[in-house]
Amino acid sequence: MKKFFVYFISIISFLFLPISAWSEDELTQSEVRVLRERFIKEAKNSIDAPYTSGKRGPATFDEAGFVHFYVQTVLEIVLPATVRGIYDFAQIVADSEREPGDLVFFRNSDGSAISDMGIYLGDGKFLACSKNYGNKKSVQEYSMKDAGWKNSYAATGKLLPQSKLGDSRIKASSTAEKKTAAKKADKKSKKAEAEEAETSSEENPSENDSEASSDSKKKSAKSKKSASSSSSSQSYSGGADGFILSTYLTGDWSLFTEKRFMPNFRGLTALAVVDYEGETLTPGAGFALRWNNGAGVFQIPLIFSLKAGDYVRFYAGPTFTIGNAQMTDSNKDIKASIFPGIFGMTVYLPSFTSVDLKVQVIQDINYSFYNNVDGSMLNPLESLASGIVLSTGISVTLPMSMFF
């Protein structure tokens, strides 16, 4: 018996070894530099893309969704879904090590939580999709020297190795890129002159009343146009902001019965859970439909879960059973418990699809409670053989806003 349990624990431990520690070839500094340049170049394509809570691109984003989308599409790194999750995932470094292509994080107004983030461009500039700063709720280029950002700055995080670019804007490598950079520098110069002129106008308001009025009207018209163009995407998310639908379909199996030690088929399970995405933990509720071939019954567990990050879910709940349950390898009648019903843990492999629709391979282990028909407890071997089920399958996760 002791030898039996040693084998069992060894196999379970093997199933839940870390699954995301893949070895990768080291990148050269030039390769890292090219990757950082491409990351920034692609992200700039979304300037002026509107802000929508819970969205991760490609047309509209929230704070974390903007970074999440381009990190996955360009760097092929799957990040957690929230700003706080990405902050915990990234390697936090000293400000002196910050370089273009790193991530910068900011706290909320009272400093209690990490709430905003962006992609660092160099020279104190960064790209972000923020709802908390300025009138433009869209992807914009900001300066860390601005008082609002400067006072709320929290840290710098790295996803890529150091490329020794330093705290400077990435240099153009081709002739065409150099010309573009020159044009941008010229625009900056003109912008600086315009700002000087604006400062001068503040000192002499009477001379520029008509110009200020005209500029105000233009800004007002532009603001209305922006609100009109983004209204459809705002209404698209409806009342489902932050809610995520997680489903999976698995084949169920176990390693032993009450009479023999060998893998055996235990049935099929389909599950649907609606999660509410939090900063660190994601609570959820749903149900499962399970054909329990091992016990010869059909079961409906009600699931209450807590998901930690993107890769682990813990759950428990009552289970309703249709039919008369039996031991897997004998004709002994047993009774399924309603409460306590089931508890378990699901491990998710990294997604291999787009950011809005995540498809992941999962491995689940769960335990269901059974008793003798008179209500007394089964012996330990019968309890483990009837209750422990391993489930392997596919999970599909998508935001509820896709349905509203």
Side-chain angles (χ1 to χ4, degrees), residues 11 252-257 260-266 390:
I11 292 174
D252 304 335
W253 53 285
S254 63
L255 293 169
F256 62 94
T257 69
R260 55 198 170 93
F261 186 84
M262 64 178 294
N264 58 99
F265 176 63
R266 293 294 296 268
L390 298 164

Side-chain angles (χ1 to χ4, degrees), residues 25-254:
D25 296 332
E26 281 193 22
L27 296 172
T28 65
Q29 283 189 6
S30 60
E31 288 172 333
V32 173
R33 188 176 297 111
V34 168
L35 201 54
R36 286 177 178 272
E37 289 176 356
R38 181 170 165 242
F39 178 42
I40 290 175
K41 183 178 178 182
E42 293 293 328
K44 284 185 174 181
N45 289 333
S46 287
I47 288 178
D48 291 330
Y51 175 97
T52 304
S53 177
K55 296 299 289 182
R56 302 180 194 170
T60 181
F61 309 89
D62 65 7
E63 297 91 340
F66 171 60
V67 174
H68 194 290
F69 178 80
Y70 283 105
V71 167
Q72 178 158 330
T73 55
V74 179
L75 306 184
E76 297 182 356
I77 298 173
V78 180
L79 293 177
T82 63
V83 174
R84 178 70 208 195
I86 297 173
Y87 174 80
D88 292 337
F89 181 92
Q91 178 190 359
I92 303 303
V93 298
D95 292 352
S96 59
E97 296 180 36
R98 181 169 57 222
E99 60 182 317
D102 286 341
L103 306 181
V104 284
F105 297 93
F106 302 88
R107 297 187 180 278
N108 57 8
S109 57
D110 62 9
S112 62
I114 304 293
S115 60
D116 256 312
M117 66 182 303
I119 299 170
Y120 188 66
L121 305 176
D123 291 339
K125 305 289 185 180
F126 68 98
L127 279 180
C129 187
S130 175
K131 66 177 179 180
N132 301 317
Y133 194 89
N135 296 322
K136 291 185 176 181
K137 291 180 171 56
S138 59
V139 177
Q140 295 295 325
E141 182 177 319
Y142 296 102
S143 172
M144 296 177 68
K145 297 175 185 177
D146 290 347
W149 292 113
K150 184 178 180 180
N151 294 335
S152 61
Y153 171 73
T156 294
K158 281 190 183 295
L159 299 176
L160 291 170
Q162 192 83 6
S163 67
K164 295 190 177 179
L165 284 173
D167 188 10
S168 60
R169 190 170 294 276
I170 294 176
K171 296 179 181 178
S173 57
S174 66
T175 303
E177 288 174 333
K178 287 178 181 177
K179 288 181 179 178
T180 303
K183 288 180 181 178
K184 288 182 179 178
D186 185 56
K187 285 182 181 179
K188 276 189 177 181
S189 177
K190 290 180 180 178
K191 185 178 179 182
E193 291 174 6
E195 288 175 351
E196 276 187 30
E198 187 176 345
T199 303
S200 175
S201 70
E202 288 176 358
E203 294 173 358
N204 303 282
S206 60
E207 295 177 10
N208 295 282
D209 282 348
S210 60
E211 289 182 18
S213 176
S214 175
D215 185 60
S216 175
K217 289 178 181 178
K218 287 179 181 178
K219 285 183 178 179
S220 176
K222 188 174 181 181
S223 176
K224 289 178 181 178
K225 184 178 179 182
S226 175
S228 174
S229 64
S230 62
S231 62
S232 59
S233 61
Q234 293 285 352
S235 62
Y236 176 73
S237 60
D241 288 354
F243 288 94
I244 300 167
L245 175 63
S246 297
T247 65
Y248 67 61
L249 179 65
T250 63
D252 304 335
W253 53 285
S254 63

Side-chain angles (χ1 to χ4, degrees), residues 237-383:
S237 60
D241 288 354
F243 288 94
I244 300 167
L245 175 63
S246 297
T247 65
Y248 67 61
L249 179 65
T250 63
D252 304 335
W253 53 285
S254 63
L255 293 169
F256 62 94
T257 69
E258 68 276 19
K259 292 184 178 180
R260 55 198 170 93
F261 186 84
M262 64 178 294
N264 58 99
F265 176 63
R266 293 294 296 268
L268 298 171
T269 298
L271 175 142
V273 173
V274 175
D275 296 318
Y276 183 76
E277 190 172 46
E279 283 295 324
T280 53
L281 296 175
T282 300
F287 68 95
L289 301 176
R290 165 176 280 183
W291 167 48
N292 191 331
N293 180 66
V297 293
F298 183 80
Q299 296 179 304
I300 305 175
L302 300 183
I303 300 298
F304 300 94
S305 71
L306 201 59
K307 195 173 181 183
D310 282 353
Y311 302 113
V312 181
R313 180 191 299 274
F314 300 94
Y315 62 89
T319 300
F320 299 92
T321 302
I322 301 171
N324 298 317
Q326 293 184 328
M327 291 299 303
T328 303
D329 230 9
S330 69
N331 293 322
K332 179 181 177 179
D333 290 333
I334 55 176
K335 183 179 179 181
S337 170
I338 296 177
F339 186 85
I342 188 173
F343 70 90
M345 177 179 74
T346 306
V347 176
Y348 296 74
L349 273 70
S351 175
F352 49 86
T353 57
S354 66
V355 290
D356 266 352
L357 179 68
K358 292 198 292 188
V359 179
Q360 298 167 277
V361 175
I362 62 169
Q363 178 60 56
D364 179 280
I365 181 170
N366 60 80
Y367 179 82
S368 296
F369 290 84
Y370 294 91
N371 298 307
N372 288 307
V373 289
D374 62 1
S376 62
M377 294 178 62
L378 299 172
N379 68 53
L381 179 58
E382 289 177 334
S383 181

